[in-house]
Amino acid sequence: MSPMSPTPAEPSPSRTAAVIPAAGRGVRLGPGTPKALRALGGTPMLIHAVRAMAASRAVTLVVVVAPPDGAPEVKNLIDGHALPEHTDYVVVPGGATRQESVKLGLDALPDDVSVVLVHDAARPLVPVDTVDAVIEAVRDGAPAVVPALPLADTVKEVEPGEPGAPEPVLSTPVRARLRAVQTPQGFDRHTLVKAHTSVAVDGEGATDDAGMVEQLGSQVVVVPGHEEAFKVTRPLDLVLAEVVLARRRANDGF
């Protein structure tokens, strides 16, 4: 009887990293400090966003893409705040557009990263369950995954006009088929890199990485998002974020 062949080793879990583009100014929140550095509960939104990614045990690296001339300041900022010990971070200078910044973040990833999250710094309160659901769907074989919510409002497609002027309605999409997309969006690394190297986007570049993957012809799937993963864009959003954070701290000691 021939000796038994050795049992093959179990494959190690794929390593997951998160890229946070934080090079924008955030003009809709008004002049002054870049949006990602605005304080929320006394702590910059960027720090909340980094912690939200690091809250997942699967995320072992966070790459923060800073303003082109602000990487040292952002690194000093992150150094001054406590982050989970299981997660490393690096700060790299960004580009002129969000798309360029994401690409620069991808370039900074080690070779052993196979799952990539791309997360908006302006979504500081995304719960860890949402992050984990995105990662799990990618690990289960989806090349691209986005968290999203059903829409509460009916949506009209219009012919854009001058600001404040009446705009003619072109159509009313079926609301049941629509979703409001959030982040983190999750990707098979090879798929996302291919999208950023082969999909041409005019003007200010892509604001939706999953949309770039769609242009490759690859499947994008949706997992349930969360109402607290909203984007802080306008002053009223910041007020709501303060309320949500205060509630968390009261309930959970967050």
Side-chain angles (χ1 to χ4, degrees):
M1 184 175 180
S2 60
M4 294 179 62
S5 299
T7 302
E10 287 294 322
S12 59
S14 56
R15 190 178 180 201
T16 299
V19 174
I20 303 180
R25 296 293 307 175
V27 293
R28 280 176 286 183
L29 271 178
T33 305
K35 178 167 58 178
L37 303 185
R38 296 293 178 94
L40 171 59
T43 301
M45 279 199 292
L46 175 60
I47 300 300
H48 288 286
V50 172
R51 287 174 173 167
M53 297 300 98
S56 171
R57 298 292 303 181
V59 175
T60 58
L61 173 66
V62 177
V63 177
V64 177
V65 188
D69 58 352
E73 290 80 3
V74 170
K75 186 178 186 308
N76 288 338
L77 178 72
I78 297 175
D79 283 342
H81 292 82
L83 298 174
E85 292 183 358
H86 69 86
T87 305
D88 296 325
Y89 75 89
V90 296
V91 178
V92 298
T97 67
R98 182 186 184 280
Q99 183 180 353
E100 291 177 8
S101 292
V102 172
K103 178 61 167 58
L104 290 167
L106 292 175
D107 291 344
L109 296 177
D111 291 340
D112 61 348
V113 169
S114 58
V115 178
V116 182
L117 304 179
V118 181
H119 183 58
D120 294 332
R123 296 184 190 270
L125 299 176
V126 56
V128 67
D129 287 351
T130 302
V131 181
D132 286 339
V134 171
I135 296 170
E136 182 178 359
V138 178
R139 287 182 171 178
D140 285 346
V145 180
V146 295
L149 293 175
L151 297 183
D153 298 318
T154 297
V155 174
K156 301 286 186 182
E157 181 184 4
V158 302
E159 183 64 46
E162 294 296 324
E167 298 172 323
V169 171
L170 301 178
S171 67
T172 304
V174 178
R175 188 173 68 181
R177 295 173 60 91
L178 302 177
R179 299 291 183 269
V181 172
Q182 302 175 325
T183 70
Q185 298 185 354
F187 304 90
D188 164 73
R189 178 182 182 168
H190 173 76
T191 300
L192 184 58
V193 170
K194 182 178 179 182
H196 272 270
T197 55
S198 61
V199 174
V201 181
D202 296 332
E204 297 183 357
T207 59
D208 177 30
D209 297 277
M212 297 175 66
V213 171
E214 288 174 46
Q215 292 187 53
L216 293 177
S218 296
Q219 179 70 62
V220 177
V221 300
V222 167
V223 296
H226 196 281
E227 61 182 4
E228 293 181 1
F230 62 90
K231 191 172 187 178
V232 178
T233 302
R234 299 174 177 85
L236 186 59
D237 301 325
L238 193 56
V239 173
L240 178 58
E242 292 279 4
V243 172
V244 171
L245 183 59
R247 185 182 66 184
R248 285 188 185 182
R249 286 174 170 170
N251 292 341
D252 307 324
F254 177 77

